[in-house]
Amino acid sequence: MNYLSPSILAADFCKLGEQINETRNAGAQYIHIDVMDGVFVPSISFGMPIVSSVRPSTDAFLDVHMMVIQPERYVEEFAKCGADSITIHVEACDCIEETLQKIKALGVKAGISLNPATPVSEVLPYMNMVDMVLVMTVNPGFGGQKYIPECTDKIREVRAYINEHNLDVDLEIDGGVNLDNLQMNLDAGANVIVAGSAVFNGNITEKTKAFLQIMQEEN
Ligand code: DX5
Ligand code: ZN
C-alpha cells in the first residue's frame, strides 16, 4: 500500500488546519511533521505544540520526523501530543535500540532514518525493530531542495532487504520528491512518499490528487 505524507514545513502556518484538511480531503493519508533542533540540522522548525494543535483537527496519520540530537529526550512528549509514528535519525542517537523500544512501548510506530551520506548498512541492525525506514533524498534541514539522484540506489537496497527478509516495514522517502520523479521512486521501492513544496506550493487539492493518482496505479 502506498501512502502520501504531505510535509507541513511547506504549509502556510496561518492556514495550517485548513491546508491539512485540504490534503486530507483530496485523499492524503498521512501528515509529515518535521521537527528540527538547529543542532542536528542547521535550521529550527517547530515542536510539540504543533503536534498537539494538529492532533484534534485531523484523523490523518501523524508522521513525526525528528531531526533532533538525542531524540530519546522527547519521544514520550511527542507520543503524548498525539504522534502516530516517530522517526529518529541513526546519526543522532547513541541508544537507538532503547529509543525504538521506548517509542513502541508508548504505543507509537517507530521509524529509523538515514541521511544521504549514511550507508544503508547503518540501519540494517534495526530493521527488526522498526515499522518504517526513512531514506532521506536531500540533506535534511530545509524544504524545497533538489532530489539527490544517488539516493535512488539506497531506496532499492532497502527495498531488497525488506523483501528478502519478508519484513512488515514501510519505506519512506523525503526530500525533493515531485510529480516528475515520483514514478522512479515508486519503482525503486518507496511506499510512503513525503512531499512538501510539491504539494503545498500551488493548488493543494490538485497537487495532492495528482500524486495519489500515480501512487494508486501501483496499489
Ligand atoms: C527536509 C525535511 C523534509 C522537507 C521536504 O529536511 O525533512 O520533510 O519538508 O520538503 P520538499 O518536499 O519541499 O523537499
Ligand atoms: Zn521530513
Side-chain angles (χ1 to χ4, degrees), residues 41-58:
V41 290
S43 193
I44 295 175
S45 57
F46 43 70
M48 296 85 172
I50 289 282
V51 181
S52 47
S53 293
V54 166
R55 178 69 290 167
S57 78
T58 182

Side-chain angles (χ1 to χ4, degrees), residues 98-119:
E98 293 89 322
T99 308
L100 293 171
Q101 277 161 2
K102 193 168 171 184
I103 295 170
K104 302 272 259 191
L106 291 161
V108 172
K109 297 210 169 188
I112 186 96
S113 181
L114 69 165
N115 284 342
T118 304

Side-chain angles (χ1 to χ4, degrees), residues 1 10 22 34 78 132 153 155-156 159 172 195 206 218:
M1 176 83 184
E22 209 177 327
D34 284 310
F78 276 107
M132 186 165 82
D153 276 341
I155 301 167
R156 292 193 188 102
R159 173 52 64 196
E172 182 174 57
E206 278 174 16
E218 295 267 318

Side-chain angles (χ1 to χ4, degrees), residues 3 10 24 46 71 78-79 103 108 124 138 148 153 158 169 201 219:
Y3 303 94
R24 184 79 185 117
F46 43 70
F78 276 107
I103 295 170
V108 172
L124 297 184
V138 298
I148 299 174
D153 276 341
V158 175
V169 171
N201 293 354
N219 285 327

Side-chain angles (χ1 to χ4, degrees), residues 18 29 34 59 77 79 81 102 122 182-183 197 199:
E18 208 180 289
Q29 307 95 332
D34 284 310
D59 64 350
E77 224 177 316
C81 291
K102 193 168 171 184
E122 296 283 313
L182 174 60
Q183 189 64 57
S197 36
V199 164

Side-chain angles (χ1 to χ4, degrees), residues 4-219:
L4 179 62
S5 193
S7 167
I8 58 168
L9 193 62
D12 176 345
F13 292 115
C14 287
K15 300 181 185 157
L16 187 55
E18 208 180 289
Q19 295 197 340
I20 287 174
N21 285 337
E22 209 177 327
T23 67
R24 184 79 185 117
N25 291 338
Q29 307 95 332
Y30 285 22
I31 285 294
H32 187 80
I33 301 181
D34 284 310
V35 180
M36 300 181 184
D37 68 351
V39 180
F40 181 66
V41 290
S43 193
I44 295 175
S45 57
F46 43 70
M48 296 85 172
I50 289 282
V51 181
S52 47
S53 293
V54 166
R55 178 69 290 167
S57 78
T58 182
D59 64 350
F61 182 94
L62 300 187
D63 163 30
V64 174
H65 176 196
M66 294 192 70
M67 288 163 275
V68 172
I69 58 157
Q70 298 169 347
E72 63 277 12
R73 295 173 294 161
Y74 303 112
V75 294
E76 200 164 345
E77 224 177 316
F78 276 107
K80 272 194 199 136
C81 291
D84 290 303
S85 76
I86 298 177
T87 297
I88 61 170
H89 267 264
V90 71
E91 307 88 356
C93 185
D94 293 329
C95 49
I96 292 171
E97 208 169 317
E98 293 89 322
T99 308
L100 293 171
Q101 277 161 2
K102 193 168 171 184
I103 295 170
K104 302 272 259 191
L106 291 161
V108 172
K109 297 210 169 188
I112 186 96
S113 181
L114 69 165
N115 284 342
T118 304
V120 167
S121 57
E122 296 283 313
V123 298
L124 297 184
Y126 310 106
M127 293 296 279
N128 280 317
M129 293 168 223
V130 295
D131 300 289
M132 186 165 82
V133 176
L134 166 53
V135 175
M136 289 305 300
T137 45
V138 298
N139 287 307
F142 303 96
Q145 301 182 76
K146 269 216 167 83
Y147 180 94
I148 299 174
E150 288 74 21
C151 297
T152 319
D153 276 341
K154 292 171 72 182
I155 301 167
R156 292 193 188 102
E157 207 179 327
V158 175
R159 173 52 64 196
Y161 188 93
I162 291 171
N163 290 351
E164 263 164 39
H165 295 80
N166 258 319
L167 299 173
D168 184 15
V169 171
D170 284 312
L171 203 180
E172 182 174 57
I173 57 164
D174 182 10
V177 181
N178 55 42
L179 289 167
D180 296 328
N181 61 25
L182 174 60
Q183 189 64 57
M184 174 192 83
N185 281 297
L186 294 168
D187 292 345
N191 78 301
V192 182
I193 307 297
V194 178
S197 36
V199 164
F200 287 99
N201 293 354
N203 184 314
I204 296 171
T205 299
E206 278 174 16
K207 296 282 185 69
T208 303
K209 285 188 174 164
F211 266 88
L212 286 167
Q213 197 184 343
I214 296 171
M215 290 168 63
Q216 278 158 3
E217 282 164 11
E218 295 267 318
N219 285 327

